[in-house]
Amino acid sequence: MFGINGPEFFLLLIIGVLVIGPSRLPEYTQKLANLVKEVRRMASGAREQIKDEVGIDIDEVDWKKYDPRQYDPRRIIKEALLDDDTKPVSAGAPAAVAAVASASAASYAEERPARVIERLADGERAPFDSEAT
């Protein structure tokens, strides 16, 4: 708590009691208790206001879903590129639906151009576009 260990806190507490004095100590403890109650009331009021305005309870929110550390752009792009858009047709589907699905899958495979990878020769410099950087 604020970089204060147990003995230091106890020493500060004793100094505070001596400075305030035994006659005013009950008054200050009551003020501290009222302050804590007021802060709790304000926090609960803010929680209720959020619930009223947003329509969700803070306790019901799955905060892990909103954790930005779980979103790795490389993984998201890799999954999007490797995602298979064709979905299998169930065995109970009519024959016409199965035929159309297989024909569209075959035409999709034919439409995709072959991937061409161009490699630079050893020692050749990569092209540079001054407008792109």
Side-chain angles (χ1 to χ4, degrees):
M1 177 169 92
F2 304 113
I4 300 174
N5 60 17
E8 291 174 349
F9 180 72
F10 187 68
L11 182 64
L12 288 173
L13 187 66
I14 291 174
I15 291 173
V17 168
L18 292 176
V19 169
I20 293 174
S23 62
R24 292 184 289 175
L25 188 61
E27 176 186 341
Y28 281 100
T29 55
Q30 184 64 36
K31 286 182 181 180
L32 180 64
N34 289 340
L35 177 69
V36 169
K37 287 178 187 176
E38 184 67 22
V39 168
R40 284 185 180 172
R41 187 190 61 77
M42 289 172 51
S44 111
R47 179 179 297 243
E48 291 298 321
Q49 184 177 1
I50 290 173
K51 184 178 179 182
D52 291 342
E53 291 179 3
V54 178
I56 57 171
D57 191 12
I58 294 176
D59 296 332
E60 296 174 1
V61 174
D62 182 19
W63 293 107
K64 290 181 183 178
K65 184 169 67 172
Y66 299 110
D67 186 11
R69 294 174 288 184
Q70 72 176 342
Y71 299 111
D72 181 18
R74 294 171 293 196
R75 180 184 55 82
I76 294 170
I77 292 171
K78 183 179 178 181
E79 287 176 359
L81 292 175
L82 297 178
D83 189 22
D84 187 15
D85 292 338
T86 60
K87 295 184 173 116
V89 179
S90 65
V97 173
V100 170
S102 64
S104 66
S107 66
Y108 176 73
E110 292 172 4
E111 290 175 11
R112 285 194 309 196
R115 186 172 177 188
V116 178
I117 299 175
E118 295 181 22
R119 302 229 182 249
L120 297 174
D122 291 336
E124 183 181 357
R125 296 185 71 175
F128 179 76
D129 185 5
S130 62
E131 295 177 4
T133 56

